[in-house]
Every structure is written in structure tokens, then in C-alpha cells.
Amino acid sequence: MKKMLITIVTATLAVAGAARAESAAAEVGKPAPGFTLTSTEGKEHSLADFKGKFVALEWTNYDCPFVKKHYGADNMQALQREFTEKGVVWLSINSSAPGKQGHFTPEVWKKRMAEWKVAATAVLLDPDGKVGRAYDAKTTPHMFIVNPEGVLIYAGGIDDKPSANPADIPGAKNYVRAALEQALAGKPVETPTTKPYGCSVKY
Amino acid sequence: MFYGLLRRIGGWAALLALAFLARGETPLAASARLIAADRVIRPGVPFTVGIHIRLPEGAHIYYRNPGDAGLPTRVEWTLPPGFTAGPLQWPVPARFAEPPLMSHGYADEVVFPAVITPPPRLDGIAAVRLAARVDWLLCKESCVPGGADVALGFRVGDAPGNPTPDAALLARFVARVPAPAEGWRFHFEEDARRLRLFARAPAGWTPARMRSLIFIPHAEDLTEPAAPQVWRATEAGEYVLDLPKSARGAAAGARLEGILREGDGHPPRAEELFFSVSAPARSNPDPSAP
């Protein structure tokens, strides 16, 4: 009897836990899930620290060919420079688990970031994948934009050409640039959700 | 649509392979060729060819609906004047789980069949060459975009030729293209958040066996590929499957097209059950449905 009761309680807790995770999941138009992560510089950054600013979140894995497409062509860094100059906070997040592709020591991160002249505000490490799962980050890259009130206003791909070929960049519509330009001009984001494309996040 | 621009990827993939070699790693690469069961073409008589792709161990390429990540494999034909190619046929894919993500594709080897129709007259033509460009994304732990130009020569004749050594391989994968199954009836309903697939199963399908059936829609980004699939029996004697829509929440429209397969395809079995589904939208939604 006691064992059965424990089973029921455990099952109830499991269901409640699942429901809580679901209600906290990232959804455009709702508050973005909060987080605190450590950067490659060893500094803690919380989403809440940036209230009052637009925040771009970029899920990344420097060894993924789709990420290499955008960094090799200076496309991602150009976006980082353009919008951090306009006051946007740009956080790259890596959710690769230890031992998986794209998981590096802070020293390797710094070297790789210098090689590519990465211009993000910070690169944050999420080795247990908790933040990635909270945002339902599926691919690298997978892009999100949070407005100054902390509401998620964009989730999806970087552009409309799902390929790993850098030759496709010039002809692509960059959803992140469009969304940030619209949001900074005080307009609603025209295309708030798109399908992200790339490598799977290496949880 | 995107892939016209992908044509130059071959050269780029070669550069990537060189980069791997420079780092002392084995490049992840697949090989492809065009196969046929018969090398004689008769004027006006459609015939089936196939694009055979062999993959390195543990790697996969993607189905038309790749799931959470990856890119669909893509084929573009280059045919002689008057020849037409039917749609690429997709053998039943396996599911590849990378929790919390799910993708759909092929491991080991696959043949994508297509029906080629020659023009009704081939006067004065003794031989023709069919060619195609195939592009894929090959993933193991990491992913490498790749592709190949494949071609095959044929003789023009009046009577069928002898079966080629590839006839059995092509037939094996033609048989793996899901077709409608007898005795099943489907319809679906949808709202902003989910699709509901209703099935009336032939006799002998128990609730336990129904639970082994996995639905994969043809359309990319329609449903959440990793969502658990749980068939329930209704009081009306049907089975129903709830499929949460993706965050983009596109409408399925008038018909929900896809496949049902038993199990996720691991380990591969010689005898597998799979069939195609073309479910019309229910015209009069039953408000008493659970």
C-alpha cells in the first residue's frame, strides 16, 4: 500500500514537473525563459541583467558546417557588429555536452573566437543543455530575439536559404536583421517564427 | 527551390574534405550512382531508374521531411529532349533520435527510384544518356554537405533487354516506397496547436499493435518530430493520434499526407510494415470526439 502511494505521488510529481517545463518553454509573444550562464571569460551573465535592451540569442557550435558558413563569410560577425553598435546585446550560446562536437575548454573558445573575430557581447556555455532545452533550441544556428520588456519576439532561422553553402548568403533574406531593424524602429516583427536550419544541437 | 543555388556545393564540399585531410581526419563521404534494371529504352515506354547512395557506417542522410535538423536529399535531372522524370520516390525512412531532437533519414544505403518517360519517337537515336545531380547532408556526429553527378547510358531498342546486376537492388527499394494499404481509412482534424489523425484499422489491429505505428508527415515543419505518439482507441471504434504542431503552426490544408511505419526502423528488418496515408480533412468535425 505504502509502495503504491509512493508510486502515485511520484507519478503526480512527474506530471506536474512536465507541465511546469512546458509552460516555461520559449514561445514568441511570451516572456523569454530566464537564465544565468557563465561566459568563455568566466563571467556570469543573466538575461535579467539586460532588461531594457534588445537581446539577440544565437545558438552556436563552431564545428558545425552551417555555423562555419555564416562565420567563414563574416555574415554572423557583421550582424553582431551592426547590432551591438546599435545597443543590442548579442549572446552566443553553446549547448554542446562535454565530449560532443563543439564543446571546448575556455582556452580553445578564446582562440576560435579570435580567429573568427567574433563580435558577440559574450559567448555563454550551457554544457548541461538546460537553457537550450528551455528555448527548444534545435539547430546551430538557431536565433532568438528578446525585447526590452523581456518578451520573446523572434525564434527561428538566420535566413531563408537552408544550406551549408556560403554562396547562398548574398541572395538570402536575413530574418534576424529584418526582425531587429523592425523592432528597433518600434514596429512589430513581420516574420516572428521561421524554421531554424543547421546541425542538431549536440545535447 | 533553394537548391538551384546549391549546385556549386560540390566544389565547396571538396574543399571541406581537403580541410579534414589536412587535420588528419577521415572525411565523412558517401558515394552515389545511377542504376537501372534494364539498359534498353523503348520509345514511349516509361521505366524506373534509381539513385543508389552508399553511406559510411553510422552516418545518415535525410528524408524529404528531415525532422528537427538536417536537409532533405535533393535530385535534379538532366535528361535528353522529350524525356520527363516523375517525382522522386522516397523509400520508408528510419527515425534517428538525438534527444530532445528527432530526424528522419537513411543509414547504410538507399535507392531513390523515379519513373522516366521517353518521348513516343526516338527515330535515328541509338543511345541516350540520363544524368542527375544529387545533393545531401551526411551526418554522423558531425555533418558534411555533399553530392554527386551521376549518369547512365542506355541503348534504344524495340524489346526489353536483359536484367542488369542492379535489377534486384532497384526492386528492393521500389518495394520500400510506402503505398496505400488496403482496409485502412483515415481522416484528420486540426486546430492552431495540433493535428488529430483518425484511423479505422482493418480487423486484427489491437490497441497494442497500433501503438507501434509512427506517423511521419510528408511536409517539413508541420508537426513536432520528437513529440511522443500515443494512439488511443475511441468509442466509435477508431484510433486517434494527437500530433502537436510545430511552433510555426502551418495549416495542413485539405489533406494530411504522410506515412505510417511500424517501429522506428532500428535495427533494420527485412520485413517491415509501412504504408502511405492521405487523410482528408473531416468535413463535419465530431464535437463528441475526445
Side-chain angles (χ1 to χ4, degrees):
Chain A
M1 184 64 207
K2 194 175 172 190
K3 197 172 171 188
M4 196 171 140
L5 191 66
I6 290 169
T7 309
I8 291 168
V9 169
T10 312
T12 311
L13 287 176
V15 168
R20 225 183 3 257
E22 198 168 298
S23 66
E27 197 176 330
V28 169
K30 302 243 170 93
F35 60 81
T36 301
L37 289 173
T38 304
S39 76
T40 52
E41 301 292 326
K43 250 184 87 179
E44 282 202 346
H45 293 273
S46 295
L47 182 63
D49 299 344
F50 303 113
K51 215 134 207 190
K53 290 186 170 187
F54 284 100
V55 181
L57 304 177
E58 171 214 346
W59 256 265
T60 198
N61 166 356
Y62 286 6
D63 282 342
C64 159
F66 294 85
V67 171
K68 288 180 179 175
K69 164 192 175 184
H70 291 286
Y71 277 97
D74 193 43
N75 189 43
M76 193 67 83
Q77 304 93 315
L79 275 178
Q80 293 166 348
R81 290 191 301 269
E82 179 180 344
F83 289 101
T84 51
E85 278 165 23
K86 291 176 181 165
V88 173
V89 174
W90 190 291
L91 304 175
S92 303
I93 300 178
N94 174 262
S95 296
S96 294
K100 296 270 184 86
Q101 186 197 49
H103 179 92
F104 307 137
T105 60
E107 288 64 42
V108 173
W109 273 110
K110 281 179 219 171
K111 187 169 154 272
R112 298 288 297 265
M113 288 164 65
E115 277 170 12
W116 269 343
K117 299 187 170 63
V118 170
T121 310
V123 176
L124 306 181
L125 306 178
D126 177 39
D128 61 13
K130 272 191 190 145
V131 178
R133 286 166 199 261
Y135 277 79
D136 201 12
K138 292 183 169 179
T139 60
T140 53
H142 192 165
M143 312 296 297
F144 299 85
I145 302 170
V146 182
N147 76 7
E149 290 74 45
V151 172
L152 192 64
I153 57 169
Y154 178 78
I158 179 164
D159 64 31
D160 66 349
K161 294 273 188 281
S163 85
N165 187 352
D168 287 341
I169 293 173
K173 175 182 164 64
N174 191 301
Y175 291 127
V176 175
R177 175 174 281 116
L180 280 170
E181 279 173 355
Q182 288 156 6
L184 286 166
K187 294 179 192 155
V189 174
E190 249 170 55
T191 311
T193 55
T194 61
K195 185 178 181 186
Y197 71 88
C199 307
S200 54
V201 173
K202 307 303 177 191
Y203 289 111
Chain B
M1 57 192 134
F2 312 114
Y3 295 87
L5 288 159
L6 271 174
R7 281 178 163 268
R8 276 189 288 163
I9 205 165
W12 186 74
L15 280 178
L16 195 77
L18 283 176
F20 272 100
L21 284 173
R23 286 164 59 183
E25 297 169 26
T26 311
L28 197 58
S31 62
R33 63 197 183 102
L34 190 57
I35 62 170
D38 180 343
R39 301 284 288 278
V40 178
I41 286 177
R42 285 172 288 164
V45 180
F47 61 100
T48 300
V49 296
I51 291 171
H52 180 211
I53 304 176
R54 292 182 69 100
L55 312 178
E57 199 184 339
H60 61 266
I61 59 171
Y62 292 89
Y63 183 52
R64 67 166 127 200
N65 169 4
D68 280 321
L71 293 177
T73 302
R74 182 80 189 177
V75 171
E76 278 184 67
W77 295 98
T78 304
L79 303 175
F83 281 70
T84 56
L88 195 70
Q89 296 172 27
W90 298 84
V92 62
R95 298 211 302 177
F96 297 91
E98 272 182 89
L101 308 179
M102 181 71 73
S103 53
H104 314 133
Y106 308 95
D108 190 27
E109 66 175 340
V110 63
V111 176
F112 296 105
V115 173
I116 304 289
T117 304
R121 298 179 69 100
L122 286 166
D123 299 352
I125 298 172
V128 295
R129 185 179 158 84
L130 308 182
R133 171 72 198 173
V134 52
D135 286 294
W136 59 72
L137 182 68
L138 179 66
C139 295
K140 197 171 174 179
E141 194 206 335
S142 54
C143 301
V144 182
D149 293 300
V150 296
L152 194 62
F154 294 82
R155 184 167 65 79
V156 176
D158 295 327
N162 294 323
T164 68
D166 290 320
L169 175 68
L170 181 57
R172 182 154 64 86
F173 278 94
V174 166
R176 290 186 64 78
V177 176
E182 272 191 31
W184 289 83
R185 289 191 60 179
F186 300 99
H187 65 266
F188 81 101
E189 295 174 1
E190 70 178 315
D191 59 30
R193 296 224 159 228
R194 70 174 175 194
L195 293 160
R196 286 195 135 171
L197 178 62
F198 291 82
R200 197 167 281 282
W205 277 81
T206 60
R209 192 172 182 203
M210 281 302 293
R211 277 196 286 276
S212 70
L213 281 184
I214 291 163
F215 180 73
I216 302 176
H218 286 352
E220 203 178 327
D221 205 26
L222 182 64
T223 59
E224 281 295 333
Q229 298 197 4
V230 184
W231 288 93
R232 290 176 292 118
T234 71
E235 284 179 12
E238 290 180 312
Y239 290 98
V240 59
L241 177 64
D242 280 357
L243 299 158
K245 280 191 179 176
S246 87
R248 270 64 62 191
R255 293 194 93 85
L256 176 59
E257 310 275 356
I259 61 156
L260 281 170
R261 62 158 302 143
E262 230 177 349
D264 58 10
H266 306 291
R269 288 188 295 140
E271 292 293 318
E272 283 189 312
L273 184 81
F274 48 81
F275 46 92
S276 63
V277 172
S278 177
R282 166 126 77 184
S283 48
N284 296 307
D286 177 1
S288 67

